[in-house]
Amino acid sequence: MDRKIKECLKGEHGSYILPFLWLHGEPKERVREEILAIKNSGINEFCAESRPYDNFCKDEWWDDFRFILETARELDMHVWLLDDQKFPTGYANGYLEKEQNASLRKRLIREIQIDAVGPMNGAKLFVGGRVGKAEKIINIVAYKNDSLGEKLDYESAIDLTDKLNDGMVYFDVPKGVWRVCVTIETLPYDYKNERLFYYIDMLNPDSCHAMIDAIYEPHYEHFKEYFGNTFKGFFSDEPGFLNVAYTYYNTLGQIGSPYPWRDDLPTLIAKSAGIDEKAVWMYLPALWEDIGEVSSVIRMHYMEVITKLYSDNFSYMLGNWCREHNVMYIGHVIEDMGAHTRLGYGSGHYFRALDGQDMAGIDIVLMQDVPGISNSIHRSPLADGGKADPAFFRYTLPKLASSHAHIQPLKKDRAMCEIFGAFGWAEGLPFMKGLSDIMLASGINYFVPHAFSPKEEDLDCPPHFYNGGKNIHYPLFKGLMEYMGRVSHALSDGKHKADVAVFYNAEGEWTGGKNQLFYNLCRTLTQGLVDFDIIPYDTLENAHVVDGKLQINGESYGALIISESEIMPISRLEAFERLANDGLYVVFTDSLPKRSAENSDILSILSCFDKVQTSKIAEKLRNKDLCHVFGEGDGLKNLRFYHVTRENEDIYLFSNEDVYGDIDAQITLKQSGECLIYDPWQNKCYKENAENGELHLRIEKGNMIFVIFGSEIPNDIPKMTYEIEREELPIKFDIAIKQEGENEFKTIAENSSLFDISTPERYPDFSGEIRYRATFEAKKGFTVIDLGQVGETAEAWLNGKYLGARINAPYKFSMKDALIDGENKLEIIVKNNLAHARRDGLSSYMQIPPSGILGDISLCKYR
């Protein structure tokens, strides 16, 4: 039997969960209680979140954090630390607020425009009227604008920088309409968020080093004896360029937007693009303006340069410091709706921003994903209109992290997701399990649940898992944590087996022109049972092809797919060409590029590539025999799979992401014969047979199983059983309720049919426990009871014997060991959704389920 599954069965799975512990300066005994609540949830490490702690890095903090480390050591736990006083990471504990560090504050450039009409000799343009005292003009260029719209003629460019005198530009305007573009170096005064003024500059290594000087080094000086043992490392939360805030769509080409700057950027851009530095200065306004074909080369190489600087100055600097001090560096950036390829809140390039970290990382918070919504955009409390697209949040975002974990040796296959935070109290355990299953089926194997808070009834970003013992779902939270730990353990320490590679096409957006983000491609592949990794150019640049397969860090891919891009950098096209000439199938979706960003001749290159409609790509790959999982039957659109190999065994995870329908399908695999079925929720194994690679796969709604080939299966493992018959159980209950915080149940119905407890005419603000008691007659051969619809968690006892707990559908319980002939006594405790009583604002974005058992209740027979 697979060693990881064997360890799970014995309760010896590793540590993959590290929840946030929010700290506000509470009394030590209260903090200890919350740490014990974490420990009692089956979790052995946590991340101390300093954001709400007013005296971070002051005497009170050093005292409290030492107590936390000592408590963790006593309990054999490990501690991480969120690495800043304010959110997001990059404030450096106020280091840049000090005037002696003013030179380290971020620098930006912005543009103003003046339109002029010629001919007019001796025209004067008063540009100084829109320049602040702390700003300076660094470049002035005029372009002819006689075309329709605002497309400027780059060939007409006139450098007017030396015509500036005391705020006035002297310009002999030629015939026609001209736009004078003035580039101004500025500071982040109030570009939607004044606190960004004191955030570090990702383009300046000395500024980034403020994180080490103000936070990392002081913690090492105070707690060096814990580094590498009790203290595991630092967590950066959503750092970014932060040139503007509250938007995910800060691309280049936005008039009025400030962009990151440092003095030698024109030199670096020129070197990256292979052009003259004078040309960069002449066309610098292309960061905002459409000046024709040169816009793509300036924008492309501006982003190329600054994202590499971010990687070197911030991600690798902090990561290297941590590894030198025997701890790890983890975290994530703002990824929302494509922000990971953009400026503003973004970091410009997901992979470069996290390359220096020891885990790949993402977050799923604020209703970014809703189990059951797989195609339509839904509303959420996000910026920019509150739109969440599952094409990105479900089918792309988790694959960014798992892909990074696969392709970069530093990550050691560790992909982390911060999860559950800021959904509101309406996020119950069923919803949490649905979210975790989506992430697990994408290869995420480390989790940062958000959050434990020693501040009781904390209004900040609920739900809080313990809440001073008041969260009625807390006792069953441990079951979810152990389940997530088991699945993570089973997925770890193996080699992922994908079908194809998807190009991380940040460049398609950077260069402009018609382009498709690769998110719909990711959804199409997933729903077509094609697994993939997302691969950036930095990795492809040195990759090689063997027997028609792309080889990267032990991973193998049968094709490279690039989403539609009208313009691509010549370096990327040449890399694709090399791979295609070496035998790799390289395909663009929908159309081939029209030109390169540098306007190089690409006609001969394009002949190496295929083009396929996005909607047809899965079928095309299957016809080329590049897919290793096939299926026919019901529910396949909601089937997710993830495949790893470990010690000559093939381990498949199959997950049903549908919240209402079951999967009943015939699956064809490359492996055949006897296989092991592992149910991670029940933590039980069964055996099955995939004759000639054909496996009849049945997965009930919202559940997952492992199928393992090549494993020696012990003789005492039972065969997999399936429901073959059910009969509705007409049953009446005595029903009692106990409001959260109360000690005694109160009877509300006797010998009653089932009903929703929380309707307006009953108990609309009830959040607590609902007890059902009844008797029924046993029926021969029917050994499982299905409660039907339940809101939200259920525990069952039969004849005084505990049958177990379910936190999501199907709410089935095996009665085999407790059932007796004749009359049986059934008791069920249901805990409903907490938002009925705690009607917080975040919960207004989520549907709240009914309360109690709604039925229909059935008895089931299994074969």
Side-chain angles (χ1 to χ4, degrees):
M1 182 182 292
D2 176 72
R3 62 179 173 85
K4 292 273 189 177
I5 301 300
K6 192 180 297 183
E7 289 163 356
C8 287
L9 292 172
K10 293 190 294 184
E12 296 175 354
H13 63 78
S15 180
Y16 301 91
I17 316 290
L18 47 140
F20 283 142
L21 172 63
W22 286 17
L23 300 168
H24 314 78
E26 287 84 3
K28 289 183 173 61
E29 59 271 17
R30 181 67 191 89
V31 174
R32 180 181 175 84
E33 178 188 359
E34 204 72 18
I35 294 174
L36 284 170
I38 296 173
K39 180 74 173 179
N40 292 334
S41 299
I43 301 169
N44 290 316
E45 50 193 284
F46 57 89
C47 182
E49 179 159 348
S50 53
R51 173 170 65 86
Y53 197 103
D54 292 334
N55 293 310
F56 181 61
C57 289
K58 295 179 181 177
D59 290 343
E60 297 92 333
W61 170 258
W62 304 130
D63 181 56
D64 281 352
F65 197 60
R66 181 169 294 278
F67 169 78
I68 288 168
L69 290 168
E70 290 171 349
T71 302
R73 176 170 286 182
E74 173 197 337
L75 298 173
D76 195 24
M77 300 178 74
H78 294 103
V79 180
W80 302 74
L81 176 63
L82 196 139
D83 66 353
D84 214 337
Q85 182 188 21
K86 291 186 179 181
F87 168 84
T89 288
Y91 176 65
N93 197 32
Y95 192 83
L96 275 64
E97 288 185 349
K98 302 170 184 176
E99 282 306 310
Q100 64 265 34
N101 299 323
S103 63
L104 301 179
R105 294 170 188 163
K106 68 163 61 84
R107 299 163 63 194
L108 306 171
I109 51 173
R110 65 182 184 93
E111 187 207 40
I112 62 172
Q113 312 85 25
I114 302 175
D115 292 319
V117 182
M120 178 183 287
N121 291 334
K124 302 174 183 64
L125 306 175
F126 180 43
V127 298
R130 287 187 277 168
V131 179
K133 291 181 179 179
E135 297 182 318
K136 67 177 180 179
I137 295 171
I138 61 172
N139 191 40
I140 307 172
V141 185
Y143 307 91
K144 196 169 186 179
N145 185 25
D146 274 342
S147 62
L148 293 174
E150 289 191 286
K151 187 173 182 179
L152 308 180
D153 178 12
Y154 71 91
E155 293 182 335
S156 69
I158 302 173
D159 186 357
L160 299 175
T161 308
D162 62 354
K163 304 298 182 183
L164 175 67
N165 189 305
D166 193 24
M168 195 76 74
V169 174
Y170 297 85
F171 180 28
D172 292 333
V173 185
K175 182 180 179 181
V177 177
W178 292 75
R179 174 157 296 172
V180 178
C181 301
V182 183
T183 305
I184 301 167
E185 183 177 331
T186 186
L187 294 170
Y189 289 107
D190 189 13
Y191 291 101
K192 299 188 180 180
N193 193 339
E194 63 182 6
R195 66 189 174 90
L196 300 184
F197 187 91
Y198 296 113
Y199 269 67
I200 60 173
D201 181 357
M202 295 299 183
L203 304 188
N204 182 347
D206 293 334
S207 183
C208 292
H209 204 276
M211 291 291 299
I212 294 174
D213 294 335
I215 298 168
Y216 286 53
E217 283 286 359
H219 278 85
Y220 182 70
E221 291 169 5
H222 281 85
F223 308 115
K224 65 179 67 176
E225 69 272 23
Y226 294 97
F227 272 55
N229 45 80
T230 302
F231 183 67
K232 289 286 290 285
F234 293 92
F235 184 110
S236 281
D237 196 21
E238 300 185 358
F241 281 110
L242 302 179
N243 47 295
V244 296
Y246 303 131
T247 178
Y248 309 134
Y249 299 98
N250 187 230
T251 58
L252 297 175
Q254 295 184 11
I255 300 295
S257 181
Y259 298 127
W261 180 253
R262 73 182 217 183
D263 290 338
D264 62 345
L265 275 188
T267 304
L268 298 175
I269 293 169
K271 183 178 180 181
S272 177
I275 60 178
D276 187 79
E277 186 176 340
K278 291 181 180 178
V280 176
W281 281 107
M282 189 64 75
Y283 304 130
L284 191 61
L287 297 179
W288 300 272
E289 307 278 356
D290 180 357
I291 56 174
E293 295 178 350
V294 299
S295 295
S296 58
V297 69
I298 295 298
R299 294 179 185 182
M300 166 62 210
H301 291 280
Y302 173 83
M303 292 298 295
E304 179 87 331
V305 167
I306 66 170
T307 54
K308 286 182 176 179
L309 288 171
Y310 183 116
S311 180
D312 293 340
N313 296 343
F314 183 77
S315 180
Y316 270 113
M317 179 184 288
L318 296 186
N320 289 339
W321 185 95
C322 286
R323 287 180 285 276
E324 289 166 4
H325 292 77
N326 203 28
V327 294
M328 296 170 66
Y329 176 50
I330 64 173
H332 72 99
V333 295
I334 282 279
E335 312 96 0
D336 306 49
M337 295 299 291
H340 60 94
T341 63
R342 301 169 185 147
L343 300 174
Y345 251 162
S347 56
H349 192 289
Y350 174 85
F351 290 91
R352 290 174 182 171
L354 298 183
D355 270 346
Q357 295 192 352
D358 294 285
M359 293 184 189
I362 60 168
D363 78 347
I364 291 290
V365 296
L366 289 166
M367 291 288 292
Q368 290 170 339
D369 197 356
V370 176
I373 302 179
S374 57
N375 290 311
S376 57
I377 291 173
H378 65 270
R379 296 298 180 184
S380 66
L382 298 172
D384 289 312
K387 295 181 180 181
D389 188 348
F392 175 71
F393 284 112
R394 178 171 304 179
Y395 297 106
T396 304
L397 179 56
K399 295 295 281 187
L400 284 172
S402 62
S403 300
H404 205 181
H406 299 152
I407 65 177
Q408 192 196 25
L410 179 62
K411 301 291 183 286
K412 297 181 180 178
D413 202 37
R414 294 177 293 229
M416 176 275 296
C417 178
E418 177 191 327
I419 197 167
F420 305 147
F423 279 79
W425 286 107
E427 183 191 29
L429 289 176
F431 195 99
M432 290 182 189
K433 183 181 181 296
L435 278 181
S436 64
D437 282 357
I438 290 168
M439 299 300 111
L440 289 161
S442 299
I444 300 296
N445 56 1
Y446 283 82
F447 291 91
V448 178
H450 184 320
F452 282 87
S453 175
K455 181 180 179 181
E456 293 183 27
E457 301 302 331
D458 194 345
L459 301 178
D460 194 350
C461 296
H464 303 292
F465 309 126
Y466 182 64
N467 194 35
K470 295 180 181 178
N471 186 338
I472 58 172
H473 284 189
Y474 169 73
L476 296 184
F477 183 72
K478 179 180 181 180
L480 177 61
M481 294 299 99
E482 291 182 337
Y483 163 80
M484 292 166 65
R486 286 192 292 268
V487 180
S488 296
H489 193 61
L491 293 177
S492 300
D493 195 23
K495 183 55 65 176
H496 170 240
K497 306 294 288 184
D499 296 310
V500 298
V502 170
F503 180 60
Y504 178 72
N505 198 358
E507 292 87 338
E509 185 173 73
W510 293 351
T511 55
K514 182 182 179 183
N515 68 85
Q516 293 185 34
L517 298 173
F518 51 95
Y519 313 146
N520 284 327
L521 169 60
C522 292
R523 174 167 54 191
T524 299
L525 292 174
T526 303
Q527 293 181 348
L529 287 181
V530 182
D531 194 19
F532 58 90
D533 275 336
I534 302 168
I535 313 295
Y537 168 73
D538 297 349
T539 301
L540 285 175
E541 189 178 17
N542 299 310
H544 59 282
V545 178
V546 176
D547 297 329
K549 303 280 188 178
L550 180 66
Q551 307 295 317
I552 298 172
N553 193 35
E555 300 278 341
S556 180
Y557 311 96
L560 175 64
I561 311 171
I562 306 110
S563 56
E564 181 181 26
S565 302
E566 181 181 350
I567 309 167
M568 287 292 286
I570 190 62
S571 59
R572 277 52 169 176
L573 291 171
E574 289 174 346
F576 304 155
E577 178 189 31
R578 175 181 65 81
L579 296 171
N581 288 337
D582 288 344
L584 181 68
Y585 179 55
V586 179
V587 56
F588 278 82
T589 62
D590 300 303
S591 70
L592 295 174
K594 299 291 191 298
R595 66 179 180 87
S596 75
E598 300 81 5
N599 293 307
S600 308
D601 181 18
I602 63 169
L603 192 59
S604 61
I605 295 178
L606 297 180
S607 63
C608 300
F609 312 139
D610 197 2
K611 65 175 180 179
V612 179
Q613 291 180 3
T614 300
S615 60
K616 302 291 186 181
I617 191 67
E619 178 185 354
K620 179 75 171 183
L621 296 170
R622 205 167 294 286
N623 290 338
K624 292 180 72 68
D625 196 27
L626 294 175
C627 308
H628 70 289
V629 175
F630 302 80
E632 292 182 351
D634 297 332
L636 283 177
K637 188 176 181 180
N638 295 303
L639 176 64
R640 304 286 298 275
F641 82 93
Y642 188 82
H643 178 197
V644 299
T645 59
R646 180 171 53 238
E647 298 165 2
N648 299 316
E649 295 175 330
D650 285 273
I651 299 116
Y652 289 88
L653 180 153
F654 289 106
S655 178
N656 180 3
E657 70 174 29
D658 195 353
V659 297
Y660 294 115
D662 297 343
I663 289 172
D664 189 345
Q666 197 75 10
I667 301 297
T668 303
L669 305 170
K670 299 293 185 182
Q671 298 76 26
S672 63
E674 194 171 54
C675 55
L676 185 74
I677 306 294
Y678 174 59
D679 180 339
W681 180 261
Q682 299 290 344
N683 198 24
K684 292 181 179 180
C685 285
Y686 307 90
K687 58 186 173 185
E688 186 58 278
N689 196 291
E691 188 174 349
N692 299 320
E694 299 287 331
L695 178 67
H696 194 169
L697 193 66
R698 302 174 180 90
I699 308 178
E700 294 179 295
K701 53 191 173 185
N703 283 270
M704 65 166 58
I705 61 170
F706 284 88
V707 179
I708 303 162
F709 292 90
S711 179
E712 185 176 333
I713 303 175
N715 293 329
D716 60 348
I717 296 293
K719 289 185 178 181
M720 192 70 183
T721 61
Y722 302 96
E723 180 186 321
I724 58 170
E725 187 180 348
R726 66 167 48 209
E727 288 191 9
E728 187 174 337
L729 179 64
I731 189 170
K732 302 286 187 178
F733 288 96
D734 293 338
I735 305 173
I737 61 173
K738 183 171 66 174
Q739 180 78 26
E740 179 188 347
E742 294 179 350
N743 296 320
E744 302 293 333
F745 280 98
K746 175 180 69 175
T747 299
I748 61 170
E750 294 181 341
N751 196 31
S752 170
S753 299
L754 298 171
F755 57 87
D756 179 3
I757 301 295
S758 54
T759 56
E761 64 274 13
R762 291 192 169 97
Y763 304 93
D765 59 353
F766 171 79
S767 290
E769 299 181 42
I770 310 163
R771 186 184 67 198
Y772 297 82
R773 286 176 173 170
T775 60
F776 68 94
E777 291 289 325
K779 187 173 177 62
K780 185 176 181 180
F782 288 80
T783 59
V784 171
I785 187 168
D786 185 347
L787 303 182
Q789 184 182 356
V790 176
E792 285 199 288
T793 70
E795 294 179 271
W797 292 258
L798 187 65
N799 301 318
K801 186 167 184 178
Y802 186 58
L803 302 184
R806 289 291 305 186
I807 67 168
N808 71 307
Y811 291 89
K812 287 183 173 181
F813 297 88
S814 173
M815 305 180 294
K816 202 170 188 179
D817 297 331
L819 202 61
I820 59 176
D821 293 335
E823 187 176 82
N824 288 262
K825 294 181 180 180
L826 177 66
E827 180 173 318
I828 303 163
I829 298 292
V830 171
K831 297 176 181 178
N832 72 335
N833 190 282
L834 297 168
H836 287 102
R838 291 180 169 88
R839 302 185 180 191
D840 62 289
L842 289 168
S843 292
S844 66
Y845 288 86
M846 187 186 301
Q847 68 192 70
I848 301 170
S851 298
I853 304 174
L854 280 298
D856 294 325
I857 297 180
S858 301
L859 296 177
C860 305
K861 180 185 288 186
Y862 274 67
R863 172 174 59 81

